[in-house]
Amino acid sequence: MATSSTSRGTLSLAATLLTATIALYMALVAFGNITDFGTNQQFVRHVLAMDTTFKDEDLMWRAVTSQGLQDAAYVGIIVWETIAALVLIYGSWLWARRDDARARRMSTYGLLMVMLLFGAGFIAIGGEWFSMWQSKSWNGLDAATRIFLFSGVVLLVNQLSSPRSEPSAT
């Protein structure tokens, strides 16, 4: 049974709007970090310094206390966020133009960038390596998990909107 053009159009519309939503979110995050550099700079510094964790001597060797390294990590995060936002904006534009194959590819790249940042960067490295989960003041795990899961859902919708090949008649 072939997928109707209506259902494929609906899935493409969903992929367009959901990709654009993540693009907007990432653009606002990057813009906020650039224009209000100091707020999240402090967040990154505290997480990397592990100065609000349980002070377990078996873990504290992981702490990064050099402000230069902390700030380099923060700038790297902002650059990654900005590139992800641009890739997702481009993917959204391609979806709107009905260039589904390229839109799916670009959106997949952008969504994977977001998932790597929030999954590997904030949840795994920040949350586990730097024990962010121990901090009552500087714990971003809930927010990171939300955007990681939302991006994963959007990635699935992007992949579902791919046209299916029909089984060959025998």
Side-chain angles (χ1 to χ4, degrees):
M1 174 187 258
T3 303
S4 73
S5 62
T6 304
S7 65
R8 193 166 51 225
T10 304
L11 279 171
S12 291
L13 176 62
T16 303
L17 295 176
L18 290 171
T19 301
T21 300
I22 298 288
L24 174 63
Y25 174 79
M26 290 307 296
L28 291 173
V29 167
F31 180 77
N33 284 339
I34 292 166
T35 59
D36 182 19
F37 190 86
T39 298
N40 280 332
Q41 176 189 36
Q42 292 307 307
F43 184 91
V44 170
R45 283 182 175 177
H46 285 288
V47 169
L48 295 181
M50 300 174 67
D51 58 1
T52 60
T53 62
F54 299 163
K55 305 286 190 270
D56 182 340
E57 63 187 56
D58 292 330
L59 297 177
M60 290 308 293
W61 63 270
R62 300 175 183 178
V64 174
T65 56
S66 163
Q67 286 190 352
L69 289 176
Q70 294 168 347
D71 291 347
Y74 182 47
V75 169
I77 290 168
I78 294 170
V79 169
W80 190 268
E81 292 166 343
T82 302
I83 293 169
L86 293 171
V87 170
L88 289 166
I89 289 167
Y90 182 55
S92 300
W93 182 76
L94 290 169
W95 279 118
R97 293 198 53 205
R98 297 190 171 281
D99 188 349
D100 288 9
R102 286 183 16 181
R104 186 171 302 103
R105 185 171 49 251
M106 293 308 297
S107 296
T108 298
Y109 295 151
L111 291 164
L112 289 174
M113 289 180 73
V114 173
M115 294 182 79
L116 282 171
L117 177 64
F118 286 89
F122 298 145
I123 296 171
I125 296 171
E128 288 303 315
W129 184 256
F130 291 106
S131 300
M132 181 170 54
W133 65 271
Q134 295 179 2
S135 177
K136 290 182 179 163
S137 306
W138 303 100
N139 185 341
L141 288 174
D142 286 344
T145 301
R146 273 193 311 271
I147 196 62
F148 179 80
L149 291 175
F150 183 38
S151 298
V153 169
V154 176
L155 180 62
L156 289 174
V157 170
N158 271 265
Q159 299 309 310
L160 285 174
S161 66
S162 176
R164 306 287 187 260
S165 59
E166 295 183 37
S168 58
T170 54

